[in-house]
Amino acid sequence: MGAYILRRLLLVIPTLLGIMIINFSLTQFVPGGPIEQILANLEGQGDVFEGISGGGGDADVGQNSDSDYIGGRGLPPEFIAELEREFGFDKPPLERFLNMMWNYVRFDFGESYFRSISVLDLVIEKMPVSITLGLWSTLIAYMISIPLGIKKAVKDGTPFDTWTSGAIIIGYAIPGFLFAILLIVLFAGGSYFRIFPLRGLTSSNFEDLSMIGKVLDYFWHITLPVLASTIAAFATLTLLTKNSFLDEIKKQYVITARAKGLSERRVLYGHVFRNAMLIVISGFPALFIGVFFGGSLIIETLFSLDGLGRLGFEAVVARDYPVVFGTLFAFSLIGLIVGILTDITYVFIDPRIDFEARN
């Protein structure tokens, strides 16, 4: 297992490098770079995209001529050249990319173009919201879906299986943002009850509360956004667990175990569980990373939460490249590491799996 983990860790390097090369290359062709954003504001255009849609030239992050910048005409060339030097665009793209990767290897992600704060500090500042949504949504989804999926498999074809499947399909069909709006209307003062707050992770007097009060206040604030984030994942995981258990229950070793007189609980959790759970665990990285890093944008917006989802969206719109690439590097690295941890979990659940023998 040690050799397999080492190989996977070594594969992280070219994979991460490939991700960064592709995304860095794409930005060379995307109009409306950070300099173009500044020039548009100076010219009173308000938004660089208005100037782009109005025709003219191409604003490319790799261009160095002041005539190439929409809105730059009429401004002194020396001013534009100074902007390019400050943002590092006076250097060739290859040199910029190599310098960026060298800094990232040392976990130096630079400073935001427009916020005057380091990317690392900015991510740490937004992290509590994403940790809350990602962690609790994933845990609740697994804690509910696995027992429910097992019971549905055992009672396959019964009325219980039928009506729960209907409820799950309805839950899966409802978009997370629509369910969030429904929760707001019903329970956050929209039209009916005002039971839960609509803004932030904590109350304004959070620091003055006792320890128990802080815990209760925290859960009071996260109830609705976590429920809205969990709905789709809960439905998918339940059906996945049910189908996985159904496939295993029909196999010969289960029939043999029952013939030996083992209890149904022993058969399910002592023999079927570790085999059926492999496919469920395989979806954990995608679920966690999706909710943790990107899937919470609309939820964060609706509940006025300032997390990584909104940070990434705002950075892309503003062409804040240090934030875009710094977070992309960190999140890609975390995603690859989580994938390795998933393989280790496979072995923990089912020791018969031997990745080294397979390779």
Side-chain angles (χ1 to χ4, degrees):
M1 188 64 182
Y4 171 78
I5 294 176
L6 179 60
R7 286 195 298 270
R8 286 292 303 272
L9 289 174
L10 292 176
L11 282 174
V12 167
I13 298 174
T15 304
L16 197 57
L17 184 61
I19 293 173
M20 299 304 297
I21 289 175
I22 292 174
N23 285 273
F24 184 86
S25 300
L26 289 175
T27 61
Q28 307 308 303
F29 305 100
V30 176
I35 295 179
E36 186 73 9
Q37 295 278 2
I38 294 176
L39 296 180
N41 289 329
L42 290 175
E43 291 292 320
Q45 297 178 18
D47 194 314
V48 64
F49 302 107
E50 297 177 8
I52 294 171
S53 62
D58 290 326
D60 188 280
V61 295
Q63 295 170 333
N64 295 323
S65 173
D66 62 287
S67 62
D68 291 327
Y69 291 109
I70 301 171
R73 307 175 187 113
L75 292 174
E78 296 81 8
F79 174 75
I80 297 178
E82 177 63 23
L83 282 179
E84 290 175 342
R85 186 196 63 78
E86 182 178 345
F87 286 105
F89 294 150
D90 57 331
K91 301 175 182 177
L94 179 60
E95 182 179 350
R96 299 204 314 268
F97 177 77
L98 294 176
N99 289 338
M100 181 183 71
M101 293 307 299
W102 172 243
N103 290 332
Y104 287 178
V105 168
R106 298 176 295 165
F107 290 95
D108 178 9
F109 300 114
E111 185 174 294
S112 169
Y113 284 157
F114 306 110
R115 298 174 185 251
S116 298
I117 182 175
S118 72
V119 174
L120 187 59
D121 291 339
L122 192 59
V123 170
I124 293 175
E125 177 185 320
K126 312 297 183 183
M127 191 71 78
V129 171
S130 295
I131 289 178
T132 294
L133 293 179
L135 181 61
W136 287 111
S137 297
T138 305
L139 287 178
I140 292 174
Y142 270 82
M143 289 172 61
I144 296 176
S145 299
I146 292 176
L148 180 59
I150 295 174
K151 189 169 184 179
K152 284 176 62 62
V154 174
K155 296 183 176 294
D156 183 43
T158 64
F160 172 82
D161 179 47
T162 302
W163 70 261
T164 53
S165 295
I168 289 170
I169 292 173
I170 293 174
Y172 181 76
I174 299 177
F177 75 90
L178 186 60
F179 187 62
I181 294 174
L182 177 64
L183 292 175
I184 291 173
V185 171
L186 292 178
F187 303 112
S191 299
Y192 296 92
F193 306 102
R194 192 176 185 86
I195 301 176
F196 297 98
L198 189 57
R199 186 178 300 274
L201 283 182
T202 57
S203 301
S204 57
N205 63 336
F206 181 77
E207 297 298 331
D208 300 329
L209 300 175
S210 63
M211 180 60 64
I212 297 178
K214 289 180 178 179
V215 172
L216 294 177
D217 182 75
Y218 170 74
F219 282 106
W220 182 48
H221 279 76
I222 70 171
T223 298
L224 296 187
V226 168
L227 285 177
S229 299
T230 306
I231 183 71
F234 153 75
T236 304
L237 276 173
T238 301
L239 295 178
L240 181 63
T241 303
K242 175 194 172 182
N243 294 332
S244 179
F245 267 79
L246 280 177
D247 290 340
E248 292 296 324
I249 288 174
K250 297 176 183 178
K251 292 183 177 179
Q252 183 63 43
Y253 74 90
V254 176
I255 299 175
T256 303
R258 286 170 174 166
K260 290 181 178 179
L262 295 180
S263 65
E264 190 67 17
R265 183 178 182 84
R266 179 70 181 276
V267 171
L268 286 176
Y269 294 98
H271 296 273
V272 177
F273 183 82
R274 65 180 183 182
N275 296 323
M277 284 302 297
L278 292 177
I279 190 173
V280 178
I281 291 175
S282 66
F284 177 82
L287 174 64
F288 179 77
I289 297 299
V291 176
F292 187 75
F293 296 134
S296 58
L297 170 60
I298 299 179
I299 303 300
E300 289 175 11
T301 303
L302 289 173
F303 290 97
S304 301
L305 300 173
D306 195 8
L308 295 176
R310 292 182 64 181
L311 172 65
F313 175 75
E314 293 170 357
V316 170
V317 172
R319 301 297 193 265
D320 196 345
Y321 291 133
V323 177
V324 173
F325 290 124
T327 53
L328 175 67
F329 179 87
F331 297 166
S332 299
L333 179 61
I334 293 174
L336 293 170
I337 297 300
V338 169
I340 297 175
L341 294 177
T342 301
D343 288 347
I344 297 175
T345 308
Y346 283 160
V347 177
F348 177 76
I349 291 180
D350 191 348
R352 295 172 299 174
I353 295 178
D354 190 343
F355 289 106
E356 293 185 13
R358 183 191 65 182
N359 291 331

